[in-house]
Amino acid sequence: MCPVRVGVMTSPNVLITAASRRVPLVEAFKRALRDLGMRGRVIVTDVNPMSPAVHVADGWYLVPMASHPRYTDELLAICEAERIGLLVPTIDDELVSVAAAISKFRELGTCVAISDQSTNLVCADKYTTCAYLRANGIAAAETFLPDQLPPAPLFPLFIKPRVGRGGVGAFPVRNEQELRFFLDYVNGPVIQEYLDGPEFTIDMLCDFQGQPLSIVPRERVVIRAGVIDRGRTVRDYRLIELARSIARVLPLAGPGPVNVQCRMVEGWPIVFEINPRFSGGIPLTIAAGADFPRHLLQLAAGQEVAPSIGAFRDNLWMTSHEVSTFLRPEDIEGRRLRLPARSEEAA
């Protein structure tokens, strides 16, 4: 889903939205630009000048929350002002609205790393995700709306918001008393069967036609705030084939990244969620040799990228730690870029 001349971005400048703590992703795109000999900049957006990724980017824009009615208009204005060739949305909240405006970005010569709108609509709703996959022969967690629960449900279960991210509001449910409590406590809940087994994320990058170019499964060994803290790559062809199967039934034409979350239960992976965006653990996938940022830049520039399924370093571990950035008052606004006054007043 790229410019008018599909596959040819008009500028090597990259815009990464909601940069927040995604310092490794910003650095990966900067490195990819250098390695490809592209004289471009990596610009980011955020709602907070204290976000660490703001201070490693080549510049940044303060934008409203993704739920704001002018959010997409702000991104369009930035893409026009900065001659953005590749836009990389990173949070679930913006995917549907950005995909709905794909033709407007295309008119500006901006390639958007995002899946087909129908896929974003399916994946934004965790009930619809699992129902769609099961209807298409993909092993997915049995998922209920509150009024669909059987009279005597089999515990344990798992409850979470029907629309949400980062593991917020997600809880195991061990008995009827906990079920009653969490049905009232969790906003707009879905209830899933409890999947007891090792958890995996499968990073996948697809091309303009939705064909997988790279698939890298990762075991999520330790998770903090919904994001992998310690984990390892796993060359498991059951997981790789699962991702291929999903690409066959979901329109993933982009080019863009997708991550599939699943658990291995009795020797077979069962999906419980799909996110059509970069995962929080993408630094491990990139370090293992699957350079998604580089491939995205090549695709957007009209270069051919050959599929490399399974071509990554197996059993590469990642163990994460906090790194602090120290800022003076002048640093906080020092890298901020500003749109023309007309655009800022409209926001």
Side-chain angles (χ1 to χ4, degrees):
M1 294 209 171
C2 279
V4 176
R5 289 194 299 149
V6 174
V8 182
M9 63 182 181
T10 58
S11 162
N13 293 334
V14 178
L15 180 64
I16 300 175
T17 66
S20 188
R21 296 166 58 91
R22 296 174 179 83
V23 171
L25 185 62
V26 173
E27 291 178 332
F29 271 100
K30 292 175 75 172
R31 183 171 58 250
L33 283 169
R34 289 194 303 269
D35 291 348
L36 291 168
M38 295 182 176
R39 299 177 64 83
R41 296 185 300 153
V42 178
I43 297 167
V44 303
T45 67
D46 210 276
V47 297
N48 191 333
M50 298 293 289
S51 292
V54 161
H55 302 281
V56 298
D58 295 315
W60 74 286
Y61 282 88
L62 184 69
V63 295
M65 298 289 287
S67 57
H68 193 283
R70 282 196 53 82
Y71 177 77
T72 302
D73 289 336
E74 285 292 290
L75 294 186
L76 285 162
I78 294 168
C79 287
E80 182 176 22
E82 297 293 340
R83 296 183 63 247
I84 297 299
L86 178 64
L87 171 63
V88 183
T90 70
I91 55 170
D92 300 330
D93 314 55
E94 66 183 333
L95 296 178
V96 170
S97 61
V98 170
I102 193 72
S103 62
K104 295 180 180 179
F105 287 103
R106 200 178 289 164
E107 289 170 4
L108 297 175
T110 301
C111 177
V112 186
I114 198 166
S115 294
D116 186 89
Q117 177 67 306
S118 61
T119 292
N120 288 298
L121 289 169
V122 167
C123 296
D125 183 324
K126 294 176 176 57
Y127 173 79
T128 302
T129 302
C130 290
Y132 181 92
L133 293 176
R134 289 168 69 91
N136 283 277
I138 307 293
E142 189 172 11
T143 305
F144 306 93
L145 298 177
D147 61 359
Q148 297 174 333
L149 280 169
L154 181 63
F155 295 101
L157 296 167
F158 200 80
I159 191 168
K160 59 187 176 182
R162 184 171 180 175
V163 177
R165 59 187 173 92
V168 177
F171 304 96
V173 177
R174 294 166 292 186
N175 52 52
E176 186 69 36
Q177 181 180 1
E178 290 185 352
L179 177 61
R180 289 196 300 270
F181 171 81
F182 284 119
L183 283 173
D184 184 60
Y185 181 77
V186 177
N187 185 34
V190 293
I191 305 94
Q192 293 185 325
E193 63 175 309
Y194 188 87
L195 302 177
D196 190 11
E199 184 175 344
F200 296 86
T201 291
I202 310 169
D203 286 323
M204 177 163 56
L205 181 69
C206 293
D207 64 13
F208 294 112
Q209 290 74 43
Q211 297 303 311
L213 296 175
S214 182
I215 299 173
V216 181
R218 299 180 285 101
E219 184 178 5
R220 288 157 59 93
V221 179
V222 177
I223 301 168
R224 175 175 53 83
V227 178
I228 184 172
D229 190 73
R230 296 187 182 96
R232 66 187 182 104
T233 56
V234 179
R235 189 178 290 111
D236 188 317
Y237 286 94
R238 293 169 297 181
L239 296 167
I240 291 172
E241 184 52 39
L242 173 65
R244 284 185 189 271
S245 299
I246 289 170
R248 286 194 285 268
V249 302
L250 267 179
L252 298 175
V258 179
N259 71 83
V260 177
Q261 292 187 285
C262 61
R263 285 186 180 271
M264 194 72 76
V265 180
E266 296 181 354
W268 292 101
I270 299 178
V271 179
F272 60 86
E273 196 167 307
I274 298 177
N275 303 297
R277 54 164 172 77
F278 275 113
S279 65
I282 194 65
L284 174 54
T285 288
I286 296 171
D291 195 339
F292 285 18
R294 180 188 179 103
H295 295 332
L296 277 173
L297 286 166
Q298 291 173 306
L299 289 167
Q303 300 176 16
E304 184 176 348
V305 177
S308 54
I309 310 298
F312 62 89
R313 185 179 301 168
D314 186 27
N315 203 31
L316 178 66
W317 280 83
M318 177 176 74
T319 178
S320 301
H321 64 99
E322 294 289 347
V323 175
S324 299
T325 298
F326 302 96
L327 305 172
R328 300 164 300 176
E330 58 266 32
D331 296 326
I332 295 173
E333 288 289 329
R335 306 175 73 86
R336 182 180 174 186
L337 302 170
R338 298 180 185 274
L339 288 170
R342 178 177 56 82
S343 296
E344 290 202 333
E345 288 167 4

